[in-house]
């Protein structure tokens, strides 16, 4: 083995996600401006910022639901390019939970969870069902396995969405405002599930307005505004001693 | 209530609705006699129906000639239908000139087809996936061998020029449905494709077909297809309108399916992609199952239109059901003033029975889907 390959291997194991000078435009609109962000393995990152600041766009670039136009994004050692094969490889290792759950309404809860393992990973049906039941137990809804998504509450649906993503045994989990579409009394059950996931050492990038969650779970908080990263800090530092004016303004508006 | 603060002490009673707000009376008041004009219109239409319908029923039943060996009795009883004529010509109406000794092959094809269709249409039937494979793949091959014949199996080959009647009408409709649905789905996907050539080809095909009358497509298929192809490849005279029908229907179905695809939220595509599904898996497992269930009513509507449009293939010399009726009515043994009206009434009943059945099925599916979405 050459030293170059060694370097590549250690490089790959160092960072879960690496974004280097990433730019993105929607037409003429510059949504992401020169984003530099490295997420280590097992690290929990919370991204916050006002709406329209580009935070959702940023994490959607990580699994290529959005395409970036300049810069490099390397996920788990695989650089995202036009190559469909690489994109599918990345997506297999990166789970995503959406604001609007996006469960498949024509499939039961169990089928929602087993679909990707069976068809993408070619896992035998019995194994996939066993795994799905284990993960549904973990999100505390095994008894709903044979119902359809429409029969579940929002909080339950979002927990199923988490279980569905976990069924692919992802190395990285992306959460795009997972509690924003939930009734207040259901937010806690979803956040509890996410806290449990963090305690198990999952690499997580979470876009959220739940500052309590950020305080409790995040290793670092990233504050974005106008498509650029304004400040990155550990949560204790971020909340008690924000340095940038825009961060101070944002925090004063959401924490009162 | 005068006090600003209030605490309930006893629960409020649940009362039955007033008599005019429930049951048949309420329905009649709301739907038939909601205003003076509505009431007058209802009365007038009921009177009209009472005047016309008994006469029509008498024409078709009590005054009709039910049995006769030739047109004599029918020429005497001119105020009633001549069902005896239909009875005598029924075999011709069903099979055209298909050889009498081989007609069991048509029957067998029709029975197998009916069983497979029932299997597919019955929502709770077991193994519908297998049923679909049998119907869309195995059945066309089986039907082709049975109807046309095969030296190898000892079935004499029957020239398509002899095919005719109800069986050709059903065949045309069925070929149209079986081939236009998959083709329509492909065209709909093609129209949304990111590949410019695929997209343009789909759009041009769909818009050309939709911009041209069906009869034109049939004449094109019939007269121009042979011009483009070498003599040896010239398609069979029955096959030409079948191809025309399937292509024409596919264009309309493609638009129907495209409408269904547009109703699927973007999140469904993204969730499928995020799980690592490639395009084919995403479409086949997530998007199309949802989109197709949404458009079942529209698709069935298209099939109803297609079924009725098959009467146009007689214009290019195919002996469909309606054509056999017109031919039969020219028989000098039966000729008379009531023969043609009876024949057309029979055709109307036949087409109505099929179309009404399809329409009811589509309504039932719609209700089922609506109930499914409420879950």
């Amino acid at each position: 083995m050459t030293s170059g390959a060694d370097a590549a291997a250690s490089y790959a194991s160092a960072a879960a996600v690496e974004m280097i000078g990433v730019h993105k435009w929607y037409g003429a609109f510059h949504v992401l401006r020169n984003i530099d962000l490295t997420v280590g393995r097992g690290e929990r990152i919370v991204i916050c910022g006002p709406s329209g600041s580009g935070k959702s766009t940023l994490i959607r670039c990580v699994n290529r639901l959005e395409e970036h136009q300049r810069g490099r994004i390397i996920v788990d050692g695989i650089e995202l390019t036009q190559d469909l094969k690489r994109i599918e490889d990345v997506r297999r290792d990166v789970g995503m939970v959406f604001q609007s759950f996006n469960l498949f309404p024509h499939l039961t809860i169990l089928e929602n969870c087993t679909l990707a393992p069976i068809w993408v990973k070619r896992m035998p049906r019995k194994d996939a069902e066993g795994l799905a039941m284990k993960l549904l137990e973990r999100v505390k809804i095994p008894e709903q396995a044979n119902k359809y998504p429409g029969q579940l509450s929002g909080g339950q649906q979002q927990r199923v969405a988490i279980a569905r993503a976990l069924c692919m045994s992802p190395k990285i989990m992306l959460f795009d405002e997972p509690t924003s579409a939930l009734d207040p009394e259901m937010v806690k059950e979803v956040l509890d599930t996410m806290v449990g996931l963090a305690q198990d050492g999952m690499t997580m990038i979470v876009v959220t307005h739940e500052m309590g969650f950020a305080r409790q779970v995040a290793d670092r908080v990233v504050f974005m505004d106008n498509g650029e990263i304004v400040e990155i800090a550990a949560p204790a530092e971020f909340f008690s001693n924000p340095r940038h004016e825009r961060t101070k303004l944002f925090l004063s508006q959401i924490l009162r | 209530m005068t006090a600003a603060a209030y605490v309930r002490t006893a629960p409020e009673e649940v009362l039955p609705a007033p008599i005019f707000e429930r049951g048949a009376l309420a329905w009649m008041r709301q739907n038939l006699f909601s205003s003076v004009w509505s009431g007058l219109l209802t009365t007038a239409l009921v009177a009209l129906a009472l005047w016309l319908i008994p006469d029509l029923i008498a024409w078709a039943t009590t005054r009709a000639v039910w049995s006769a060996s030739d047109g004599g009795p029918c020429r005497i009883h001119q105020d009633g239908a001549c069902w005896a004529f239909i009875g005598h010509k029924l075999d011709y109406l069903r099979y055209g000139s298909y050889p009498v000794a081989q007609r069991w092959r048509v029957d067998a094809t029709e029975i197998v087809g009916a069983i497979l269709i029932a299997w597919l249409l019955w929502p709770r039937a077991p193994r519908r996936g297998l049923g679909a494979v049998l119907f869309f793949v195995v059945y066309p091959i089986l039907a082709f061998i049975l109807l046309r014949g095969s030296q190898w199996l000892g079935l004499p080959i029957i020239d398509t020029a002899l095919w005719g009647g109800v069986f050709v009408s059903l065949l045309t409709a069925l070929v149209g449905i079986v081939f236009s649905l998959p083709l329509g789905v492909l065209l709909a996907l093609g129209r949304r494709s990111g590949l410019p050539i695929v997209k343009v080809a789909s759009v041009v095909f769909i818009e050309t077909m939709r911009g041209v009358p069906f009869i034109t497509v049939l004449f094109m298929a019939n007269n121009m297809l042979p011009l483009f192809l070498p003599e040896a490849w010239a398609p069979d005279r029955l096959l030409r309108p079948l191809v025309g029908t399937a292509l024409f229907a596919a264009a309309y179905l493609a638009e129907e399916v495209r409408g269904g695809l547009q109703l699927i939220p973007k999140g469904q595509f993204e969730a499928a992609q995020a799980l690592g599904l490639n395009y084919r898996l995403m479409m086949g497992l997530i998007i199309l199952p949802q989109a197709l269930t949404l458009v079942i009513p529209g698709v069935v509507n298209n099939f109803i239109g297609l079924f009725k449009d098959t009467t146009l293939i007689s214009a290019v010399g195919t002996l469909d059901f309606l054509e056999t009726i017109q031919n039969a009515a020219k028989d000098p043994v039966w000729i008379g003033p009531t023969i043609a009206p009876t024949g057309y009434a029979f055709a109307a009943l036949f087409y109505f029975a099929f179309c009404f059945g399809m329409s009811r099925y589509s309504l039932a599916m719609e209700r089922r889907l609506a109930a499914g979405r409420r879950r």
Side-chain angles (χ1 to χ4, degrees):
Chain A
M1 199 182 275
T2 65
S3 61
D6 275 341
S10 64
Y11 172 78
S13 63
V17 177
E18 198 164 5
M19 305 179 97
I20 305 161
V22 172
H23 290 261
K24 174 168 179 62
W25 289 263
Y26 282 131
F29 180 57
H30 200 173
V31 272
L32 291 183
R33 310 185 195 171
N34 198 21
I35 301 290
D36 282 306
L37 180 66
T38 305
V39 182
R41 283 179 197 276
E43 195 179 17
R44 271 88 58 181
I45 299 279
V46 164
I47 304 177
C48 60
S51 57
S53 60
K55 49 197 193 305
S56 283
T57 309
L58 187 147
I59 70 164
R60 288 158 61 87
C61 282
V62 174
N63 66 350
R64 194 73 166 193
L65 288 183
E66 303 284 354
E67 196 178 320
H68 62 284
Q69 278 104 28
R70 207 198 289 173
R72 302 175 69 195
I73 300 177
I74 300 146
V75 182
D76 195 33
I78 305 167
E79 175 158 10
L80 283 168
T81 61
Q82 297 288 349
D83 184 358
L84 277 178
K85 179 82 181 57
R86 286 185 184 207
I87 295 172
E88 275 160 27
D89 284 346
V90 164
R91 284 175 179 165
R92 211 167 298 179
D93 285 343
V94 178
M96 187 163 198
V97 175
F98 299 87
Q99 179 178 354
S100 49
F101 327 138
N102 295 345
L103 295 181
F104 304 131
H106 62 304
L107 301 177
T108 64
I109 299 308
L110 187 65
E111 287 165 344
N112 262 279
C113 293
T114 56
L115 181 111
I118 290 173
W119 289 92
V120 178
K121 283 193 156 178
R122 308 250 155 232
M123 191 185 277
R125 181 173 294 273
K126 277 272 163 287
D127 298 358
E129 285 176 357
L131 175 68
M133 285 312 295
K134 215 172 72 194
L135 288 162
L136 285 173
E137 263 159 46
R138 178 166 167 181
V139 300
K140 301 197 179 65
I141 29 178
E143 71 282 0
Q144 314 281 8
N146 292 313
K147 291 192 181 168
Y148 285 87
Q151 295 167 290
L152 269 55
S153 75
Q156 290 174 322
Q157 290 194 44
Q158 194 60 300
R159 284 184 283 152
V160 172
I162 295 174
R164 177 176 72 177
L166 291 178
C167 278
M168 288 295 282
S169 317
K171 295 179 182 155
I172 302 158
M173 283 287 288
L174 307 175
F175 292 85
D176 188 3
E177 306 206 24
T179 57
S180 299
L182 294 176
D183 291 337
E185 69 266 32
M186 292 170 184
V187 169
K188 187 175 179 302
E189 62 187 56
V190 171
L191 287 181
D192 286 348
T193 310
M194 290 165 63
V195 170
L197 201 56
Q199 281 161 355
D200 292 350
M202 174 66 75
T203 308
M204 294 163 73
I205 307 179
V206 184
V207 172
T208 185
H209 296 294
E210 295 291 335
M211 291 302 130
F213 175 81
R215 254 187 240 274
Q216 186 186 349
V217 168
D219 295 313
R220 284 187 292 162
V221 179
V222 175
F223 174 66
M224 286 184 74
D225 192 15
N226 270 328
E228 57 196 6
I229 294 179
V230 176
E231 188 164 345
I232 302 179
E237 186 71 7
F238 181 82
F239 289 109
S240 58
N241 188 20
R243 295 211 295 265
H244 199 286
E245 282 310 311
R246 276 191 273 173
T247 319
K248 287 177 190 166
L249 181 67
F250 176 72
L251 286 176
S252 75
Q253 278 164 345
I254 61 162
L255 306 170
R256 44 183 95 209
Chain B
M1 266 207 294
T2 46
Y6 169 77
V7 177
R8 173 169 299 286
T9 49
E12 205 71 55
E13 231 182 313
V14 177
L15 299 169
I19 182 95
F20 275 110
E21 299 300 324
R22 56 196 159 107
L25 273 178
W27 183 88
M28 281 176 64
R29 202 173 65 123
Q30 270 172 22
N31 295 290
L32 301 179
F33 299 99
S34 59
S35 70
V36 175
W37 281 113
S38 163
L40 284 177
L41 202 58
T42 302
T43 319
L45 286 175
V46 168
L48 191 68
L50 285 177
W51 179 47
L52 287 178
I53 290 174
D55 202 37
L56 187 66
I57 290 176
W59 178 84
T61 55
T62 50
R63 297 203 303 262
V65 177
W66 289 90
S67 60
S69 54
D70 60 34
C74 293
R75 284 191 284 273
I76 296 164
H77 299 280
Q78 291 194 2
D79 56 349
C82 184
W83 296 123
F85 158 71
I86 300 291
H88 271 264
K89 295 291 183 185
L90 197 57
D91 276 352
Y92 174 67
L93 299 183
R94 283 189 60 196
Y95 307 101
S97 310
Y98 207 86
V100 178
Q102 301 295 329
R103 284 178 181 176
W104 64 268
R105 284 156 54 175
V106 177
D107 294 337
T109 314
E110 284 175 353
I111 290 168
V112 174
I115 292 172
L116 286 176
I117 289 173
W119 186 1
L120 279 181
L121 294 189
W122 184 33
R124 266 184 284 273
R127 316 270 328 252
R128 285 169 87 202
L130 177 67
V133 171
L134 286 178
F135 183 69
F136 283 99
V137 181
V138 181
Y139 181 63
I141 300 169
L142 176 84
F144 177 79
I145 293 172
L146 261 178
L147 293 176
R148 187 169 171 279
S150 149
Q151 293 294 352
W152 186 61
L153 289 173
L155 295 171
I157 290 184
I158 314 293
D159 191 82
T160 53
L162 300 175
W163 300 16
V166 168
F167 131 66
V168 162
S169 286
L170 292 178
L171 178 78
T172 313
L174 213 59
V175 168
I177 289 170
V178 167
F179 288 95
S180 66
L181 188 56
L183 190 59
V185 169
L186 287 181
L187 282 168
L189 293 178
R191 192 165 187 168
R192 288 171 57 103
S193 168
L195 306 170
I197 295 176
V198 176
K199 187 183 168 110
V200 166
S202 303
V203 170
V204 166
F205 179 86
I206 291 169
E207 293 307 330
T208 309
M209 280 294 172
R210 276 159 45 92
V212 168
F214 182 44
I215 199 91
T216 317
V217 174
L218 285 177
F219 279 123
M220 294 270 282
N222 202 46
N223 301 325
M224 298 188 61
L225 220 52
L227 293 183
F228 297 129
L229 296 170
E231 186 118 5
W233 291 7
D236 180 273
R237 287 200 71 85
L238 179 65
L239 188 62
R240 292 176 210 169
L242 291 188
V243 171
T245 310
L247 293 183
F248 187 75
Y252 280 85
L253 282 180
E255 289 298 275
E256 205 69 60
V257 173
R258 188 168 71 105
L261 288 173
Q262 275 167 345
L263 288 175
I264 306 299
K266 203 164 152 254
Q268 294 289 310
F269 292 84
E270 291 177 348
Q273 286 168 350
L275 284 168
L277 271 65
N278 58 28
Y279 179 82
R280 221 177 304 164
L281 287 176
M282 173 175 78
M283 282 300 172
L285 296 172
I286 307 298
I287 306 303
L288 279 177
Q290 294 185 61
L292 289 179
T293 7
L294 284 174
V295 297
I296 284 177
V299 167
V300 174
N301 256 340
N302 268 319
F303 286 164
I304 291 174
L306 169 67
F307 185 61
K308 291 187 292 184
D309 280 352
T310 58
T311 48
L312 290 173
I313 62 171
S314 62
V316 291
T318 307
L319 193 65
D320 79 319
F321 173 48
L322 201 59
E323 193 71 3
T324 55
I325 284 186
Q326 285 173 333
N327 281 352
K330 289 176 199 146
D331 183 347
V333 177
W334 286 93
I335 206 149
T338 59
I339 297 302
T342 304
Y344 290 132
F346 184 62
L349 275 178
F350 168 83
Y351 283 105
F352 178 77
F354 272 87
C355 295
F356 187 67
M358 285 195 256
S359 156
R360 295 312 295 183
Y361 177 78
S362 138
L363 279 176
M365 284 309 291
E366 239 174 294
R367 271 198 293 275
R368 223 181 109 82
L369 290 175
R373 227 160 289 140
R374 274 201 301 274
R375 278 189 305 232

